[in-house]
């Protein structure tokens, strides 16, 4: 069974220069029903493949218990084709592991265009802080199912990460890690979360006070 059957959508014109935040969730918000190590192996294997076969640039990836977050860009404008393949193949492999007979994902992936560097940074921090906010770890670098551990040299991963934004030197690594581990605050977190639900990421302005979200940059 294909995870993309009967999932119509208007034609999407992919931006070739800007990245997208991408997420997809298990059907009925269930857990993946597979050991996290196996889910991680399946996901990273297919991320590696779409990087090679579709030339997708993987900027960051975090696997949660019933969904994933990905920041990626598609210089060839083929994001839909790559994600269709990724979700179809990863869904099939996860069904094999779990002996499920229905589809793995509840719907197509959701994408949100990150139209400038500041919005990219908000999405980037949101992605890596997800496990912390879910109570799965105390610091971002402690979570196993995240490409951050590869960037920090803590684990070797199959996924080739195209992230040269913050990590070139130890000084910038330390500053970036501290930035990622700094609490965003509940209200700002919710604003970023709502912004990522849009097809083009945008933060709604505060009515009563200025927001650091409009100016905060590492």
């Amino acid at each position: 069974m294909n995870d993309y059957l009967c999932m119509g959508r208007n034609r999407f014109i992919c931006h070739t220069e800007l990245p997208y935040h991408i997420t997809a969730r298990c059907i009925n918000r269930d857990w993946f029903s597979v050991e996290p190590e196996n889910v991680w192996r399946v996901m990273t294997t297919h991320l590696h493949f779409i990087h090679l076969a579709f030339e997708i640039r993987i900027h960051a990836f975090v696997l949660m218990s019933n969904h994933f977050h990905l920041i990626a860009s598609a210089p060839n404008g083929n994001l839909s084709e790559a994600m269709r393949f990724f979700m179809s193949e990863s869904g099939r492999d996860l069904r094999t592991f779990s002996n499920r007979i229905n589809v793995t994902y509840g719907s197509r992936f959701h994408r949100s265009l990150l139209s400038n560097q500041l919005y990219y940074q908000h999405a980037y921090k949101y992605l890596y802080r997800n496990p912390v906010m879910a109570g799965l770890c105390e610091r971002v670098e402690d979570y196993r199912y995240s490409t951050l551990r590869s960037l920090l040299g803590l684990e070797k991963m199959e996924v080739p990460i195209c992230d040269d934004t913050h990590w070139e030197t130890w000084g910038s690594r330390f500053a970036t890690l501290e930035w990622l581990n700094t609490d965003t605050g509940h209200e700002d977190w919710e604003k970023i979360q709502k912004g990522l639900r849009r097809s083009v990421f945008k933060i709604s302005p505060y009515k009563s006070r200025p927001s650091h979200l409009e100016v905060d940059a590492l």
Side-chain angles (χ1 to χ4, degrees), residues 81-139:
E81 295 85 347
M83 289 305 300
R84 185 180 301 117
F85 177 90
F86 174 80
M87 292 181 66
S88 176
E89 294 302 304
S90 63
R92 183 194 63 184
D93 288 353
L94 291 172
R95 288 196 303 276
T96 299
F97 272 115
S98 63
N99 294 317
R100 298 176 74 146
I101 59 173
N102 59 344
V103 296
T104 300
Y105 299 102
S107 65
R108 279 178 176 262
F109 66 94
H110 172 75
R111 58 182 173 255
S112 182
L113 180 67
L114 306 174
S115 58
N116 60 49
Q117 181 63 21
L118 179 60
Y119 286 172
Y120 174 87
Q121 289 178 339
H122 290 325
Y124 190 86
K125 184 170 183 176
Y126 177 87
L127 182 146
Y128 279 133
R129 281 194 63 78
N130 240 260
V132 176
M133 298 299 288
L136 301 177
C137 58
E138 292 187 3
R139 291 180 60 85

Side-chain angles (χ1 to χ4, degrees), residues 1-216:
M1 185 181 294
N2 192 308
D3 275 272
Y4 265 69
L5 291 177
C6 302
M7 294 185 186
R9 174 180 276 190
N10 293 333
R11 180 171 175 78
F12 163 65
I13 300 176
C14 178
H15 202 293
T16 58
E17 297 179 3
L18 296 174
Y20 289 82
H21 172 269
I22 300 163
T23 188
R25 189 178 297 273
C26 268
I27 191 167
N28 298 325
R29 295 178 176 264
D30 289 339
W31 288 30
F32 280 109
S33 302
V34 178
E35 289 296 322
E37 291 80 3
N38 290 331
V39 182
W40 179 249
R41 190 177 304 114
V42 167
M43 296 286 189
T44 54
T45 296
H46 291 300
L47 285 174
H48 188 205
F49 183 85
I50 66 171
H51 168 75
L52 295 176
F54 296 89
E55 298 184 19
I56 299 299
R57 292 171 56 86
I58 311 296
H59 302 287
F61 180 76
V62 170
L63 172 67
M64 301 295 285
S65 61
N66 67 357
H67 65 283
F68 65 79
H69 292 275
L70 167 67
I71 296 177
S73 53
N76 296 328
N78 57 351
L79 183 66
S80 288
E81 295 85 347
M83 289 305 300
R84 185 180 301 117
F85 177 90
F86 174 80
M87 292 181 66
S88 176
E89 294 302 304
S90 63
R92 183 194 63 184
D93 288 353
L94 291 172
R95 288 196 303 276
T96 299
F97 272 115
S98 63
N99 294 317
R100 298 176 74 146
I101 59 173
N102 59 344
V103 296
T104 300
Y105 299 102
S107 65
R108 279 178 176 262
F109 66 94
H110 172 75
R111 58 182 173 255
S112 182
L113 180 67
L114 306 174
S115 58
N116 60 49
Q117 181 63 21
L118 179 60
Y119 286 172
Y120 174 87
Q121 289 178 339
H122 290 325
Y124 190 86
K125 184 170 183 176
Y126 177 87
L127 182 146
Y128 279 133
R129 281 194 63 78
N130 240 260
V132 176
M133 298 299 288
L136 301 177
C137 58
E138 292 187 3
R139 291 180 60 85
V140 293
E141 65 268 32
D142 296 333
Y143 189 63
R144 287 190 59 192
Y145 308 113
S146 161
T147 50
L148 181 61
R149 292 182 63 81
S150 177
L151 289 170
L152 295 173
L154 299 175
E155 286 190 21
K156 184 177 180 180
M157 297 181 186
E158 285 191 65
V159 184
I161 303 301
C162 303
D163 183 0
D164 55 4
T165 308
H166 305 308
W167 304 97
E168 291 118 353
T169 67
W170 171 248
S172 61
R173 287 188 177 198
F174 179 80
T176 300
L177 199 54
E178 290 307 301
W179 169 66
L180 290 174
N181 278 306
T182 301
D183 189 1
T184 306
H186 180 71
E187 190 174 3
D188 287 342
W189 178 265
E190 285 193 339
K191 281 193 170 287
I192 295 171
Q193 194 173 52
K194 289 178 181 178
L196 290 172
R197 292 174 187 158
R198 301 169 183 253
S199 58
V200 178
F201 179 77
K202 183 179 179 181
I203 297 172
S204 301
Y206 284 83
K207 295 181 180 179
S208 59
R209 67 177 178 85
S211 170
H212 81 274
L213 292 179
E214 301 297 336
V215 298
D216 183 26

